[in-house]
Amino acid sequence: MSLRFSVLASGSTGNAFYIESNKEKILVDAGLSGKQLDLLFSKANLDPKQLSRILVTHEHSDHIKGLGIIARKYNLPIYANEKTWKAMEHSIGKLTLDQKFTFNMEEVKTFGDMDIESFGVSHDAAEPMFYTFHSNGKKVALVTDLGYVSERIKKTVEDADAFIFEANHDVDMLRMGRYPWSVKQRILGDSGHVSNEDSGLALADIINNNTQRIYLAHLSLDNNMKDLARMSVDRVLQERGINIQICDTDPKEPTVLYDVG
């Protein structure tokens, strides 16, 4: 085993991602209550007491709601960039100095047997960034909460063995839906979220023969459906001659722990 992961929760109501290597057990984001997070760990047959650390992508509440609670309960160090720290400090409660660490954008940090690379994304937060995880020749890429997928991001995340990739909305559902026009503009804009079709187009450029699975993440409850997202992305990939397993994620149920080998 080199890398295993579970998408504990994904969506506008809360996000949390777990990844482990032989020596590290890492939580990325804690966007649900402490009680909900503990329940998700239990459902996934994981022990939060064994966590090594928490990484943060950005300060929106669906990514940090339970951050302070979990960090204090299990005495965990938190890693985020300086602008994210500044934006979220008032929301997460008191932490000790030995729990607060900086992880800069476009940086690689090594924890035990895992190398983690951070990269910036276009989203309406202070300094949002996501991560690729490397161990023993395997690579997992976590890419959500971005308005568009730049060529720089594609180069950073390409050739991963598994992707957790945003497919937030169906454009027609969003345009016809109940959201105010200002919210629709935000979601559709360059600092919003990636649509199903754009997700498929980006994935077609970055997957290769190493890629085992794609997990579609951060689906909108109002403007998307699991089957629609999966079919939309799969159609784009099939048009490029790409056949690959596409998996669902859920805002309330963790995915089964997946071993990329």
Side-chain angles (χ1 to χ4, degrees), residues 188-241:
L188 291 167
D190 284 349
S191 297
H193 291 281
V194 171
S195 69
N196 295 338
E197 185 171 353
D198 285 346
S199 178
L201 291 169
L203 284 163
D205 289 341
I206 58 180
I207 63 178
N208 72 357
N209 292 333
N210 293 331
T211 307
Q212 303 167 21
R213 286 188 181 186
I214 297 166
Y215 289 75
L216 298 182
H218 216 299
L219 273 66
S220 169
L221 290 175
D222 291 300
N223 303 302
N224 212 347
M225 295 180 288
K226 287 182 182 180
D227 289 346
L228 178 59
R230 196 168 56 249
M231 286 189 296
S232 299
V233 171
D234 189 50
R235 182 176 65 248
V236 175
L237 296 180
Q238 293 281 352
E239 289 171 354
R240 302 281 189 94

Side-chain angles (χ1 to χ4, degrees), residues 105-228:
M105 188 185 290
E106 318 296 342
E107 182 180 9
V108 177
K109 281 189 180 291
T110 299
F111 301 111
D113 57 350
M114 193 187 300
D115 296 324
I116 304 174
E117 181 178 5
S118 64
F119 57 93
V121 299
S122 175
H123 193 55
D124 56 353
E127 194 168 74
M129 67 184 194
F130 282 79
Y131 304 94
T132 60
F133 306 85
H134 307 253
S135 185
N136 196 31
K138 297 297 182 179
K139 176 179 179 180
V140 173
L142 176 63
V143 193
T144 71
D145 294 79
L146 69 171
Y148 67 99
V149 187
S150 68
E151 293 303 314
R152 177 181 53 80
I153 291 173
K154 289 180 184 178
K155 195 67 180 173
T156 301
V157 304
E158 66 183 358
D159 304 342
D161 295 273
F163 290 94
I164 301 88
F165 209 90
E166 180 168 65
N168 177 257
H169 59 274
D170 174 80
V171 172
D172 290 335
M173 283 184 69
L174 175 61
R175 285 180 172 155
M176 295 169 61
R178 63 181 179 84
Y179 286 6
W181 177 238
S182 59
V183 176
K184 293 178 182 180
Q185 284 182 304
R186 171 192 169 263
I187 294 169
L188 291 167
D190 284 349
S191 297
H193 291 281
V194 171
S195 69
N196 295 338
E197 185 171 353
D198 285 346
S199 178
L201 291 169
L203 284 163
D205 289 341
I206 58 180
I207 63 178
N208 72 357
N209 292 333
N210 293 331
T211 307
Q212 303 167 21
R213 286 188 181 186
I214 297 166
Y215 289 75
L216 298 182
H218 216 299
L219 273 66
S220 169
L221 290 175
D222 291 300
N223 303 302
N224 212 347
M225 295 180 288
K226 287 182 182 180
D227 289 346
L228 178 59

Side-chain angles (χ1 to χ4, degrees), residues 38-106:
D38 279 341
L39 179 60
L40 290 167
F41 274 108
S42 177
K43 287 182 175 181
N45 294 313
L46 299 169
D47 184 0
K49 295 186 184 72
Q50 295 183 0
L51 286 170
S52 312
R53 63 199 81 248
I54 307 174
L55 308 184
V56 179
T57 63
H58 62 294
E59 75 277 8
H60 288 169
S61 62
D62 59 323
H63 292 261
I64 66 162
K65 183 178 180 180
L67 178 61
I69 297 165
I70 289 292
R72 284 186 289 274
K73 183 173 183 179
Y74 300 111
N75 192 30
L76 294 167
I78 299 172
Y79 292 76
N81 63 50
E82 289 181 5
K83 288 185 179 178
T84 298
W85 269 117
K86 187 175 181 180
M88 72 178 181
E89 275 188 304
H90 68 284
S91 301
I92 61 175
K94 289 187 177 181
L95 297 167
T96 59
L97 284 176
D98 61 356
Q99 288 181 287
K100 299 169 69 172
F101 293 87
T102 301
F103 195 149
N104 294 317
M105 188 185 290
E106 318 296 342

